[in-house]
Amino acid sequence: MYRQPVHLGQALRIRRQTVSTERNQILNLLVEPDVELVVNGISASAIALHTDRAPAEVDVLVRSNTTDANDVDASNGVVEVAIWNGWTADEIDQGWLGEAGIRVGGTDPLILQCRDGFGTADFADLVVHIEITTPEDDDYAENRAGVTVAAGARAAAGSDAEE
Amino acid sequence: MTDLELIAIFAGSWIVAAAVWMLLDWAARPKHARFRAKGDRVQRGPLEYRHYRKVRRAEENEEIRLRLTERTGKPTLALRSKRRERVLARHDRPAPEYAIGNSERIGAAAAGKTDEEFWIDLRDSSFDDANKQRLAEGNPPVRYNPITDQDEEMLRTEADTAVWPNSPVDPFAGTEIATSDNTSDDLDAGDIDDATHDDDADHEAVGDEPDDPTLDTDGGAGESPADETDDDDEGDQVTERVVRDLKSLPEAG
């Protein structure tokens, strides 16, 4: 498991490079309970990106989910995002088993080479590049204020813009 | 010595003695102690004081939690104070089915199969010998969770599937990508992350896979010329960028 420090309000741009063709690979992210990850209109403290479902490039926003007016320091805090790999075997999402592991390299972008414990230890079952960005998109500005934009509403706004 | 001097020495001795007594009493008294009436004084040791502080902080947190619930109108689940001047509140929100912390059994057992039979029948390609032995005995497998620093057992769901507790949420559940990234360069706009195109992702992916008849279940009837919007150009640009990234990659390992 790897822990990446991130400022609240920043986003992790996760770009998938190589994926094993033998089984579905999973990239899991976790933050502490008073922080949440926002992606695809879903906000949660822990998310799992499956290679057979998630796009090749995903932006994950890290923000605080506290609404207490007294907590004025949370927006400037640094939190740790725990990252670990998983896989799907026999229709079960697995992780933290066998000889699975992550090889960490690079700084910008961060390169994670993951192994699911099957076959040779080439750590090429899942390779991702992770960049830390500061999103300036309007949607993320809303999210920074604590408003979660529903995926359906955003899709409707997008289709209206197309028309 | 005159009488006055004697009286001064006598009174001065008593004043000094009283000052020394007060100094010693102040030094011996714990810092958190405060004045209590004689009838309210309770003899406590260090452990009792620690417990008392914990109880008092929990009562204060509960009071603040109720006040927040009343003020915001939303049920406040938990309150945590890292420092006395900093209070963090967490309000209720719908929890995903397998959110972190939800370690209870989800749903009732499916009819027709006992728990032992379920675990015995479970395929076990990822498990080590110890867990395979547990499965053979009809027990759920166990793994160590480094997040909680505890061992955890697998759960059986109402849908008769096996899941680990504390499983993260899948924000893309229900979506499918037609092709795998490293086997095909023909990535489509629907394969690229864009929340505004979520509704079109599956549709475009199915329509643009003529080589795989199993995916084109409706014969492409859902796609019409009217579906080709201006987003195709943007999709091509994004496709180009992703393909370029894939091709410029060094060999892994």
Side-chain angles (χ1 to χ4, degrees):
Chain A
M1 189 169 62
Y2 177 72
R3 296 183 185 270
Q4 172 66 42
V6 178
H7 280 274
L8 289 174
Q10 288 186 319
L12 294 171
R13 177 160 294 166
I14 301 173
R15 192 177 293 129
R16 208 162 58 228
Q17 305 294 350
T18 59
V19 176
S20 165
T21 56
E22 295 180 5
R23 61 190 60 83
N24 171 50
Q25 301 293 317
I26 307 171
L27 190 69
N28 300 288
L29 296 94
L30 170 73
V31 288
E32 55 194 70
D34 54 353
V35 179
E36 58 187 13
L37 305 170
V38 183
V39 58
N40 197 30
I42 304 293
S43 57
S45 293
I47 61 171
L49 302 175
H50 292 241
T51 56
D52 61 353
R53 283 166 240 169
E57 185 169 317
V58 176
D59 282 343
V60 180
L61 176 69
V62 180
R63 70 176 186 189
S64 169
N65 65 3
T66 177
T67 58
D68 193 282
N70 294 327
D71 190 10
V72 295
D73 294 333
S75 59
N76 299 323
V78 177
V79 297
E80 278 190 338
V81 179
I83 305 173
W84 72 97
N85 69 309
W87 61 95
T88 303
D90 303 321
E91 299 180 351
I92 301 173
D93 294 341
Q94 300 281 16
W96 296 325
L97 286 176
E99 298 176 350
I102 302 179
R103 199 158 60 188
V104 182
T107 52
D108 187 21
L110 176 72
I111 302 174
L112 299 182
Q113 298 172 306
C114 308
R115 179 184 181 222
D116 58 12
F118 291 88
T120 57
D122 55 1
F123 287 87
D125 295 320
L126 175 63
V127 178
V128 294
H129 286 191
I130 299 179
E131 294 175 31
I132 299 176
T133 62
T134 303
E136 296 177 358
D137 184 71
D138 288 342
D139 287 339
Y140 283 127
E142 289 177 1
N143 286 330
R144 210 178 293 134
V147 176
T148 302
V149 179
R154 196 185 303 175
S159 60
D160 289 340
E162 290 164 21
E163 293 173 359
Chain B
M1 275 191 175
T2 63
D3 291 342
L4 199 60
E5 286 172 349
L6 278 174
I7 293 170
I9 290 171
F10 179 78
S13 302
W14 276 105
I15 292 171
V16 169
V20 170
W21 180 272
M22 288 167 61
L23 185 68
L24 290 174
D25 184 67
W26 173 82
R29 187 184 298 273
K31 289 181 183 177
H32 51 268
R34 58 182 185 269
F35 173 77
R36 286 181 180 272
K38 199 170 183 181
D40 294 339
R41 289 175 196 165
V42 178
Q43 291 299 327
R44 291 196 183 104
L47 290 178
E48 282 81 10
Y49 271 116
R50 191 182 303 169
H51 169 73
Y52 176 68
R53 273 205 304 271
K54 222 181 267 185
V55 169
R56 194 172 61 187
R57 186 168 296 175
E59 288 172 357
E60 289 172 358
N61 285 348
E62 183 64 21
E63 189 186 349
I64 297 172
R65 189 187 71 79
L66 292 173
R67 208 177 328 140
L68 279 175
T69 303
E70 201 178 313
R71 187 174 76 187
T72 62
K74 290 185 286 185
T76 304
L77 278 187
L79 199 65
R80 187 156 54 103
S81 57
K82 290 182 179 177
R83 297 192 295 271
R84 291 192 73 81
E85 63 274 14
R86 222 178 120 178
V87 170
L88 301 178
R90 176 176 171 165
H91 298 285
D92 192 13
R93 63 174 183 265
E97 188 179 4
Y98 304 133
I100 289 286
N102 182 9
S103 60
E104 295 177 356
R105 168 91 175 246
I106 301 170
K113 197 184 266 193
T114 63
D115 283 349
E116 288 75 20
E117 291 170 348
F118 175 80
W119 296 118
I120 289 172
D121 293 341
L122 192 71
R123 295 183 62 182
D124 52 9
S125 59
S126 289
F127 300 121
D128 56 6
D129 293 339
N131 275 325
K132 286 181 181 176
Q133 180 65 28
R134 288 181 61 89
L135 287 171
E137 294 169 356
N139 296 317
V142 172
R143 73 173 182 183
Y144 170 73
N145 186 328
I147 302 292
T148 60
D149 195 23
Q150 292 177 352
D151 288 340
E152 56 188 15
E153 284 186 348
M154 215 167 199
L155 301 175
R156 180 187 179 188
T157 68
E158 192 175 272
D160 223 19
T161 58
V163 294
W164 290 105
N166 306 316
S167 295
V169 174
D170 181 4
F172 296 97
T175 60
E176 290 291 337
I177 296 180
T179 60
S180 173
D181 303 23
N182 60 342
T183 58
S184 170
D185 291 340
D186 296 329
L187 292 172
D188 195 71
D191 296 336
I192 307 305
D193 175 39
D194 186 344
T196 60
H197 294 289
D198 264 349
D199 292 342
D200 298 329
D202 295 336
H203 169 78
E204 289 182 5
V206 170
D208 291 335
E209 288 297 314
D211 294 332
D212 191 351
T214 61
L215 292 173
D216 194 11
T217 55
D218 60 352
E223 189 177 19
S224 66
D227 291 333
E228 293 180 12
T229 66
D230 293 337
D231 294 326
D232 284 346
D233 293 338
E234 184 182 345
D236 290 341
Q237 291 173 5
V238 182
T239 302
E240 198 178 328
R241 185 184 75 204
V242 174
V243 170
R244 188 173 59 247
D245 287 340
L246 287 175
K247 286 180 178 174
S248 65
L249 256 199
E251 290 295 325

